[in-house]
Amino acid sequence: MKTLPSLICSLSLAIAGLLTGAAHAQETKPGDPVAAQKKVAMCIGCHGIVGYQASFPEIHRVPMISGQSAKYIATALNAYKKGERKHPTMRGIAASLTDQDIADISVYYEASGKNLPAHAAKSVAPNAEIDALLKKGNCASCHGADLNKPIDVYPKLAGQYEDYLFVALKSYQADSKGPIGRSNPIMAAQAKMFTLPELKLLSHYIGGLPSDLKTVPQAKFR
C-alpha cells in the first residue's frame, strides 16, 4: 500500500503528464503555407527539380508532391518519422520535423502548383488486362475516381512517375523487412496480391493518367 506522500507524488506526476500532453496538443496549429516557405529547403533539393532521380534502392524519379493532398503528405511524413516507412533518407528528414513543421509543409505542397496546368493523359482506356488488375486491387475505393480523388489520407496516384510507383508498391510487398519496407497492413495486403510484372503494368498505366500532381521548379534554394 502506498503512503500518503507517495500517493501525492504519483498524483502530481500524473497531473504534470496530463498538462504536458495538453500543452503539446495545443502547440500544433493549422498548417501555414507561408511559414512553410522557410522549412522546405530540405525538400526542394529533390522534389523541386523536374525529373530528379534517386539511386536507392534503385534508380527512379522522386515522386511529385506538389498538388498532393495535405492529409496524405502529413500521414507519409509521420510514417517515415515513426519508422513505418524505412527509406533512410526520408526517415532522417522526417525525424527532424516537429508536428507543426509537418502541418505547415503538408498544406504548402497541397497548394503548390495550383496555378500550373494539369498533366495531360498519356494512357488510353485500360485494356482488359489492366482493367482486371485495377478491379482486383479495388484501387478506386481508396484512391478515388480516376485515381485522382482519394478519400481521407490516401494519395493521388494518377500521373505519378511510374518508376516511383513501382518502387513504392514493391516497398509495401517488403512490408517491415529490409531497409525500404513500408509497414501498412492495407497496402501490404493489396501489393502482395500481384506479381512484379503485374505491378509494373499497373504502374505504367497509372503513371499515364491525367493528374493534378506536379514538380514545381525552384528558382533558388532557401
Side-chain angles (χ1 to χ4, degrees), residues 129 133 136 166 169-170 173 190-203:
E129 183 178 14
L133 292 176
K136 178 180 178 181
F166 186 52
L169 287 167
K170 288 192 293 183
Q173 282 191 337
Q190 295 298 101
K192 288 174 183 177
M193 295 188 335
F194 299 99
T195 65
L196 291 180
E198 287 173 336
L199 291 181
K200 191 170 279 284
L201 279 173
L202 277 172
S203 300

Side-chain angles (χ1 to χ4, degrees), residues 2-212:
K2 290 186 177 182
T3 64
L4 181 59
S6 65
L7 285 171
I8 293 173
C9 182
S10 298
L11 182 60
S12 298
L13 289 172
I15 293 171
L18 290 171
L19 291 174
T20 300
H24 180 71
Q26 292 173 359
E27 286 171 5
T28 304
K29 302 175 183 177
D32 181 353
V34 176
Q37 292 176 9
K38 298 179 180 179
K39 302 179 181 184
V40 295
M42 67 183 74
C43 308
I44 63 178
C46 295
H47 296 284
I49 301 174
V50 176
Y52 185 83
Q53 291 183 318
S55 58
F56 179 84
E58 60 193 70
I59 296 174
H60 67 282
R61 285 165 291 181
V62 299
M64 293 176 279
I65 58 175
S66 291
Q68 189 60 271
S69 79
K71 279 188 175 182
Y72 168 71
I73 294 173
T75 299
L77 287 172
N78 278 306
Y80 284 118
K81 187 173 183 176
K82 295 174 184 175
E84 294 168 358
R85 292 189 179 191
K86 294 189 174 183
H87 191 284
T89 302
M90 280 303 305
R91 190 175 180 189
I93 289 170
S96 72
L97 300 175
T98 66
D99 291 346
Q100 188 63 59
D101 293 335
I102 290 174
D104 294 343
I105 291 169
S106 298
V107 296
Y108 173 88
Y109 276 108
E110 182 177 74
S112 177
K114 284 195 172 180
N115 59 324
L116 300 176
H119 286 178
K122 296 179 184 177
S123 295
V124 295
N127 60 29
E129 183 178 14
I130 295 292
D131 189 54
L133 292 176
L134 291 169
K135 289 177 179 176
K136 178 180 178 181
N138 199 19
C139 305
S141 65
C142 293
H143 299 285
D146 301 319
L147 305 184
N148 196 41
K149 292 179 173 57
I151 62 170
D152 200 33
V153 299
Y154 297 99
K156 297 177 182 180
L157 299 181
Q160 184 61 270
Y161 292 128
E162 62 177 277
D163 47 359
Y164 166 74
L165 289 171
F166 186 52
V167 167
L169 287 167
K170 288 192 293 183
S171 296
Y172 286 117
Q173 282 191 337
D175 200 0
S176 58
K177 300 173 184 176
I180 61 160
R182 295 186 178 187
S183 181
N184 180 300
I186 295 175
M187 278 306 302
Q190 295 298 101
K192 288 174 183 177
M193 295 188 335
F194 299 99
T195 65
L196 291 180
E198 287 173 336
L199 291 181
K200 191 170 279 284
L201 279 173
L202 277 172
S203 300
H204 177 72
Y205 172 76
I206 293 168
L209 292 173
S211 176
D212 294 333

